[in-house]
Amino acid sequence: EVQLMESGGGSVQAGGSLTLSCTASGFTYEHSDMGWYRQTPGNECELISSISSDGSTYYEKSVRGRFTISHGRAKNTVLLQMNSLKSEDTAVYHCAADGLPRARAPCDSVRGVANYWGQGTQVTVSS
């Protein structure tokens, strides 16, 4: 059974930091592209960061320079280090694997394109 389990969300003041973690199982992690999506209150999802199987990374413009994606020390884990958090970063963050569309779109359609999708973890940033 394929699983993507996110953790690390929570509440933080603006300017603070959080690290999200996603642990994958049930598929070949080493050959997969991994990404993090942000789900807006309007139920749209946008890819904010990804790391390819070859190690190349992508950052959406609004998080560039503040967020860092990496593979964790634990096996089959991808991390998202979030610094200098802003109130507009408040959202549910989903981990996903393979077939990662970048454009913001309704979450149902994004979820249908990505091969695997996690349940999400809430991040709340208060100003």
Side-chain angles (χ1 to χ4, degrees), residues 4-11 18-22 36-39 48 78 80 82 89-95 117-124:
L4 292 175
M5 188 70 66
E6 302 99 335
S7 62
S11 297
L18 284 173
T19 301
L20 305 185
S21 178
C22 171
W36 287 95
Y37 283 85
R38 183 159 58 195
Q39 179 179 354
I48 58 166
V78 61
L80 185 68
M82 305 187 295
D89 295 320
T90 295
V92 176
Y93 286 74
H94 295 272
C95 177
W117 190 263
Q119 293 289 341
T121 185
Q122 175 72 46
V123 171
T124 303

Side-chain angles (χ1 to χ4, degrees), residues 39-53:
Q39 179 179 354
T40 69
N43 206 31
E44 289 192 321
C45 283
E46 181 177 41
L47 182 68
I48 58 166
S49 186
S50 66
I51 183 165
S52 301
S53 55

Side-chain angles (χ1 to χ4, degrees), residues 8-125:
S11 297
V12 65
Q13 288 192 326
S17 299
L18 284 173
T19 301
L20 305 185
S21 178
C22 171
T23 301
S25 61
F27 64 97
T28 308
Y29 176 89
E30 295 80 9
H31 298 162
S32 297
D33 300 332
M34 302 298 298
W36 287 95
Y37 283 85
R38 183 159 58 195
Q39 179 179 354
T40 69
N43 206 31
E44 289 192 321
C45 283
E46 181 177 41
L47 182 68
I48 58 166
S49 186
S50 66
I51 183 165
S52 301
S53 55
D54 64 2
S56 58
T57 58
Y58 162 80
Y59 297 97
E60 191 273 331
K61 184 172 59 176
S62 70
V63 307
R64 208 170 290 158
R66 299 189 297 124
F67 291 10
T68 303
I69 192 169
S70 64
H71 295 298
R73 289 186 177 182
K75 188 175 180 177
N76 296 354
T77 301
V78 61
L79 306 176
L80 185 68
Q81 173 69 43
M82 305 187 295
N83 297 328
S84 303
L85 283 162
K86 305 175 181 180
S87 57
E88 51 263 41
D89 295 320
T90 295
V92 176
Y93 286 74
H94 295 272
C95 177
D98 294 330
L100 306 175
R102 291 186 178 183
R104 177 180 287 198
C107 290
D108 284 346
S109 65
V110 174
R111 183 173 180 167
V113 175
N115 280 16
Y116 308 119
W117 190 263
Q119 293 289 341
T121 185
Q122 175 72 46
V123 171
T124 303
V125 184

